Amino acid sequence: MTYTPKSDFVAVMMERGFLADCTDYQGLDEALLQGVRPAYIGFDATAKSLHVGSLIQIMMLRWFQKTGHQPITLMGGGTTKVGDPSFRADERPLLTEAQIDDNIAGIKKVFSAYIDYDTDAPNKALMLNNAEWLDGLNYLEFLRDIGRHFSVNRMLSFESVKSRLDREQSLSFLEFNYMILQAYDFMELNRRYGCILQMGGSDQWGNIVNGIDLTRRVIDHEVYGLTSPLLTTSDGKKMGKTADGAIWLNADMRSPYEFWQFWRNTTDADVGRFLKLYTELPVAECERLGALAGSEINAAKVILANEVTTLCHGAEAAAAAEATAREVFEKGGVGDDLPTLTLSPADLGDGISIVQLIVKSGLAKSGKDAKRLIAEHGAKIDDQPLTDAGLMIDAGALASPIKLSAGKKRHALVRLDG
């Protein structure tokens, strides 16, 4: 891509590695030079928190506001009832309205750390819910006025749908309507708020193009689409997924320490790229840190962890996480910020097995996993090898907190309440 951007936003997207594709680089660039313009990204409410896989989109909205424009975070209160089939192998489970509302309440918490909804400036961010216009649609009118603009042949050609059909996996009529609803969202946001740009991951390309086409056909307005790459780590793993589950952004679902530790454990080859995407350090500094080798790259990983955690959870949480990591890893201590399992005397009873404790503390998914961890010499108790899967822990053993470890990088405290 040799295009030289004119607007600050497109320049940042290209320079920092956010850009996978754009429907019209020059048209978008020139539109962004004409004053404050709105852009949106949609987030379906399929869980109570977003995870690290969504962080690239949140950072795009943050940069959009930092370069003088108006970000719109669109909660999918309506579309979540249908489910996005993009690159899924199966149909999403249907959620109740109460579950969706509960999930939206959880998801909203993280956005205010990145985006300013309270400023008096013209580029004050908006948080909207597409249930506002989707829930009241008259189905027959929608089919007549909107459905006639969509070619089934064209929709079947989109890779997100085609890959599912090629594997002979079911694609319900309910899901097939998702892309029409998302296209309608874009048109409605343009009509109501003058939104000129939809952004998303590259798996959303087909949905975004549909929205652009519908907006041109129905209200004859020019709008644009921009996608980011679907990130994997250098070893091919999906971004935000680990052996013990998703790296959630909400502190009540993944502690700030565990969040910090995820970034601290970044593979050497990913450090420079992640610094550009997930921090606001100057690009030259990101490249300098990413080029470090040997033990020096570990210092760059600490910077990455601190910068990303500060944005998400605040500077105090980042400092506490770093202090705990130094205590645990460099000094062999316990650390105040480790994930902690607190047991009541009733929980403990006459004693609890070490296997149960490992599972309850989140260091293993099941008793079978915990026993395997012990058998393979991957478990420790107070930094000493744990070899007896039948060990029982009673109140006396918990007179002071004990530290459990799974491998070199995952730890938890177990303490007795009172």
Side-chain angles (χ1 to χ4, degrees):
M1 178 66 200
T2 57
Y3 180 76
T4 303
K6 301 171 186 174
S7 67
D8 290 341
F9 177 70
V10 176
V12 168
M13 291 297 98
M14 294 181 71
E15 186 178 35
R16 300 188 80 95
F18 284 96
L19 196 50
D21 212 343
C22 179
T23 55
D24 181 355
Y25 289 96
Q26 187 171 345
L28 174 61
D29 227 1
E30 290 174 356
L32 293 177
L33 294 174
Q34 295 169 15
V36 177
R37 308 307 297 267
Y40 91 99
I41 299 179
F43 299 88
D44 276 347
T46 53
K48 291 183 180 180
S49 171
L50 299 175
H51 58 68
V52 163
S54 297
L55 194 51
I56 190 169
Q57 274 76 50
I58 296 173
M59 289 299 293
M60 289 167 78
L61 289 171
R62 179 177 172 87
W63 279 113
F64 196 69
Q65 188 171 44
K66 284 175 72 71
T67 53
H69 299 286
Q70 182 179 43
I72 298 173
T73 46
L74 182 66
M75 296 290 99
T79 42
T80 304
K81 296 172 185 174
V82 176
D84 184 1
S86 297
F87 294 96
R88 285 185 61 85
D90 53 8
E91 187 172 339
R92 287 188 186 276
L94 294 180
L95 303 177
T96 66
E97 277 199 51
Q99 288 173 314
I100 291 170
D101 289 344
D102 194 33
N103 287 349
I104 287 174
I107 289 170
K108 282 181 175 180
K109 295 175 186 176
V110 78
F111 283 109
S112 58
Y114 292 89
I115 301 163
D116 190 351
Y117 297 90
D118 299 320
T119 179
D120 292 328
N123 65 333
K124 172 183 178 178
L126 299 176
M127 182 170 287
L128 306 173
N129 186 333
N130 62 15
E132 182 183 337
W133 51 83
L134 294 182
D135 279 2
L137 287 176
N138 178 292
Y139 188 57
L140 290 178
E141 287 181 5
F142 186 74
L143 284 178
R144 184 192 64 201
D145 298 338
I146 303 300
R148 65 191 178 89
H149 294 291
F150 289 83
S151 159
V152 170
N153 292 17
R154 185 162 181 255
M155 292 163 77
L156 287 171
S157 73
F158 287 125
E159 188 59 34
S160 58
V161 174
K162 190 170 178 289
S163 62
R164 183 103 159 249
L165 297 178
D166 285 347
R167 294 192 298 268
E168 297 185 358
Q169 289 164 330
S170 173
L171 183 70
S172 73
F173 178 73
L174 182 71
E175 294 177 289
F176 202 59
N177 277 268
Y178 183 93
M179 61 182 72
I180 302 179
L181 295 178
Q182 185 171 329
Y184 186 81
D185 280 346
F186 197 178
M187 184 183 74
E188 197 64 22
L189 286 170
N190 179 263
R191 183 156 41 195
R192 294 183 181 213
Y193 301 97
C195 181
I196 65 159
L197 173 65
Q198 181 184 173
M199 301 184 287
S202 57
D203 60 336
Q204 294 299 311
W205 181 256
N207 292 336
I208 291 172
V209 169
N210 272 330
I212 292 170
D213 190 48
L214 181 67
T215 304
R216 285 175 180 158
R217 285 172 180 265
V218 177
I219 58 178
D220 195 27
H221 286 182
E222 190 77 18
V223 291
Y224 308 93
L226 184 153
T227 59
S228 62
L230 288 182
L231 278 190
T232 56
T233 56
S234 58
D235 54 2
K237 293 178 182 174
K238 191 173 182 180
M239 187 64 186
K241 299 287 187 179
T242 64
D244 62 333
I247 305 300
W248 302 106
L249 301 182
N250 286 19
D252 58 347
M253 291 181 66
R254 177 70 74 161
S255 75
Y257 171 77
E258 293 173 294
F259 183 81
W260 187 95
Q261 197 64 48
F262 169 79
W263 296 99
R264 169 60 182 82
N265 292 336
T266 295
T267 305
D268 293 3
D270 291 324
V271 172
R273 181 169 58 127
F274 288 179
L275 281 164
K276 288 181 189 177
L277 291 170
Y278 300 113
T279 82
E280 294 175 346
L281 292 177
V283 170
E285 178 66 0
C286 296
E287 291 174 345
R288 183 190 73 80
L289 290 168
L292 295 174
S295 61
E296 289 185 322
I297 194 70
N298 290 328
K301 293 178 185 181
V302 170
I303 291 170
L304 171 66
N306 282 337
E307 292 287 330
V308 181
T309 305
T310 295
L311 281 175
C312 190
H313 297 296
E316 193 174 315
E322 183 183 2
T324 292
R326 291 191 186 282
E327 181 70 24
V328 171
F329 295 108
E330 294 180 12
K331 302 176 185 177
V334 171
D336 296 330
D337 206 31
L338 279 183
T340 301
L341 170 66
T342 302
L343 298 174
S344 69
D347 293 328
L348 194 61
D350 295 329
I352 188 170
S353 75
I354 193 66
V355 167
Q356 284 180 282
L357 280 187
I358 291 172
V359 174
K360 284 178 176 291
S361 63
L363 297 178
K365 291 183 178 180
S366 65
K368 185 177 179 182
D369 286 342
K371 289 176 183 177
R372 185 187 305 116
L373 185 69
I374 294 169
E376 294 175 354
H377 309 293
K380 289 184 179 181
I381 181 168
D382 289 333
D383 297 319
Q384 299 302 312
L386 178 59
T387 56
D388 181 8
L391 179 67
M392 297 296 292
I393 302 295
D394 58 19
L398 285 173
S400 59
I402 62 172
K403 174 181 160 189
L404 297 178
S405 304
K408 295 180 179 179
K409 296 179 179 179
R410 296 171 54 228
H411 310 272
L413 287 183
V414 181
R415 65 172 79 243
L416 189 59
D417 189 19

